[in-house]
Amino acid sequence: MNTKIPYKIYLNETEMPTAWYNLRADMKNKPAPLLNPGTHQPMTAQELSGVFCEELVKQELDNDTAFFEIPEEIRNFYKMYRPSPLVRAYCLEEKLQTPAKIYYKFEGNNTNGSHKLNSAIAQAYYAKKQGLKGVTTETGAGQWGTALSMACSYFDLDCKVFMVKCSYEQKPFRREVMRTYGASVTPSPSTTTQVGRKILAEHPNTTGSLGCAISEAVEVAVTSEGYRYVLGSVLNQVLLHQSVIGLETKTALDKYGIKPDIIIGCAGGGSNLGGLIAPFMGQKLRGEADYRIIAVEPASCPSFTRGKYAYDFCDTGMVCPLAKMYTLGSDFIPSANHAGGLRYHGMSSILSQLYDDGLMEATSVKQTDVFAAAEQFARVEGILPAPESSHAIRVAIDEALKCKETGEEKTIVFGLTGTGYFDMVAYEKFHEGQMDDYIPTDEELAQYAARLPKID
Ligand SMILES: *Cc1c(COP(=O)(O)O)cnc(C)c1O
């Protein structure tokens, strides 16, 4: 109508957020607390501080403070690769011949190639501030491990990464990125931990899972002086840090008076989606605005759409606190044919509560449809998307095509969480027609659900 919206809406440094937004402050039904796996009582700050950094424990447990100031050191680091652009997908709209207006927030403009650096740098900062020697973590596909190793090298912290064995073997380049930034990388399960040895004794040929790697990383953190464990998704603190995505998106949209109708994000553990939607969901919770919010997950790992809302373990070794979440069961491992990421069995407690309260929707998509969308997107918008991000692309395209049928000019915003340069084996499978769409049966899922811990 009046001002033409640019292809990319950039913000100035001065328009970047100076505080993270804590969505929990506006939630009437708060997310359920983490429970001690032994006593089933809510985890206290003291108990959690054996595993996590003190400042992060405060953030984890605080359901009331709406804004947390972003320390200046973190803001300065953010300035190296943020603000990230909000892109108007004119070329995609044209290709689809849709009246819908499509925007995406692109988080892949850093060496790590994903949004994970937003929380990695915060967690490394607090570990350093506490005077720790280092941190331990797990990584699946490798994005979180790379993000954390970048953040740790910046603050001169040691970084020990347990990498799911099949990824360690299939993604040697990710491993070398981590080593370039000074991290040590161990394939999991390994013989370096008690829990790893136990898992190997029971399943000698296992190729590992995120749940296993978490158990190993936690064990090393709690048994090594001056170390704590950090996690790249799922936790409340991680969603808090990722709110920087949503805050920037909202500022950029507000500059041009744009109000989205639909906000879409992929959901693995829920951190990018939780961050993207935070300020919009806040408005929704306060009754100031309404949006359709859609979480997109793989059909092969469908925690929202086919999981149970229950307390479950976050890891396979059952050493971590219990979290109430939509879950498939802590021993669920998606089919080996699943190449598209987002493999975690559970979901952020915050998003789980919002979903249970009917404040957001969820849908699942098949991986061949996801890669088809990824390719379609790459060919018109240029960016080679991560398979994870492409779940959101799939649903954004589908919603835009619906608008074409109805003639509605809806505004769609989706999170483009990262680039897919290290996922070319998965793209190759797709191109060779070797990718299939294994979807677990109800019977399979019921077996895992039957093993959920009984909490009353
Ligand atoms: C890790 C990752 C995700 C999924 O994690 P969430 O915590 O659900 O955001 C999505 N996209 C990319 C590129 C990732 O690296």
Side-chain angles (χ1 to χ4, degrees), residues 362-384:
T363 184
S364 72
V365 288
K366 293 189 295 191
Q367 68 171 348
T368 48
D369 294 340
V370 166
F371 279 83
E375 201 169 77
Q376 192 174 10
F377 179 84
R379 289 180 185 180
V380 289
E381 290 289 322
I383 295 170
L384 179 78

Side-chain angles (χ1 to χ4, degrees), residues 107-108 112-116 141-144 174 232-235 238-239 242 245 265-275 296 340-344 346-348 351 385-391 415-420 423:
E107 290 291 318
N112 161 247
S114 83
H115 65 287
K116 294 209 169 62
Q143 283 99 321
W144 169 244
R174 281 262 179 222
S233 183
V234 185
L235 295 175
V238 183
L239 270 73
Q242 295 296 358
I245 304 173
C266 63
S271 74
N272 86 83
L273 179 65
V296 190
L342 310 174
R343 302 172 66 95
Y344 190 61
M347 187 54 65
S348 140
L351 294 188
E388 292 88 344
S389 323
S390 305
H391 288 71
L416 189 70
T417 49
T419 49
D423 298 288

Side-chain angles (χ1 to χ4, degrees), residues 207-218:
T207 53
S209 70
L210 267 181
C212 270
I214 296 175
S215 303
E216 290 203 274
V218 171

Side-chain angles (χ1 to χ4, degrees), residues 180-409:
T180 301
Y181 286 92
S184 69
V185 188
T186 308
S188 166
S190 76
T191 53
T192 66
T193 63
Q194 252 182 18
V195 63
R197 287 189 292 271
K198 181 162 173 267
I199 292 168
L200 281 173
E202 285 163 17
H203 311 278
N205 297 320
T206 179
T207 53
S209 70
L210 267 181
C212 270
I214 296 175
S215 303
E216 290 203 274
V218 171
E219 181 182 318
V220 172
V222 299
T223 55
S224 313
E225 180 72 32
Y227 281 78
R228 292 292 185 280
Y229 167 69
V230 295
L231 183 63
S233 183
V234 185
L235 295 175
N236 299 340
Q237 53 186 280
V238 183
L239 270 73
L240 175 71
H241 307 145
Q242 295 296 358
S243 68
V244 64
I245 304 173
L247 293 165
E248 282 183 10
T249 303
K250 182 137 196 324
T251 305
L253 291 171
D254 286 349
K255 264 187 151 178
Y256 290 91
I258 305 160
K259 186 183 169 291
D261 298 295
I262 310 176
I263 304 171
I264 301 166
C266 63
S271 74
N272 86 83
L273 179 65
L276 173 66
I277 67 172
F280 304 97
M281 183 60 89
Q283 286 184 302
K284 191 163 163 155
L285 289 164
R286 297 188 301 270
E288 298 164 6
D290 199 14
Y291 306 98
R292 255 188 89 195
I293 292 172
I294 310 175
V296 190
E297 59 187 14
S300 55
C301 191
S303 39
F304 264 138
T305 50
R306 296 175 67 200
K308 294 261 181 301
Y309 189 33
Y311 268 105
D312 193 11
F313 291 96
C314 298
D315 63 323
T316 314
M318 305 180 184
V319 297
C320 290
L322 294 156
K324 189 172 181 195
M325 54 189 178
Y326 276 85
T327 179
L328 297 165
S330 64
D331 53 355
F332 178 83
I333 297 180
S335 147
N337 292 329
H338 175 65
L342 310 174
R343 302 172 66 95
Y344 190 61
H345 67 273
M347 187 54 65
S348 140
S349 290
I350 295 176
L351 294 188
S352 293
Q353 185 63 49
L354 293 168
Y355 180 64
D356 203 56
D357 287 339
L359 290 157
M360 55 184 275
E361 305 167 29
T363 184
S364 72
V365 288
K366 293 189 295 191
Q367 68 171 348
T368 48
D369 294 340
V370 166
F371 279 83
E375 201 169 77
Q376 192 174 10
F377 179 84
R379 289 180 185 180
V380 289
E381 290 289 322
I383 295 170
L384 179 78
E388 292 88 344
S389 323
S390 305
H391 288 71
I393 298 177
R394 173 75 272 160
V395 173
I397 290 179
D398 290 345
E399 289 295 330
L401 291 174
K402 280 185 209 161
C403 289
K404 184 174 173 176
E405 275 174 27
T406 60
E408 285 172 290
E409 291 184 26

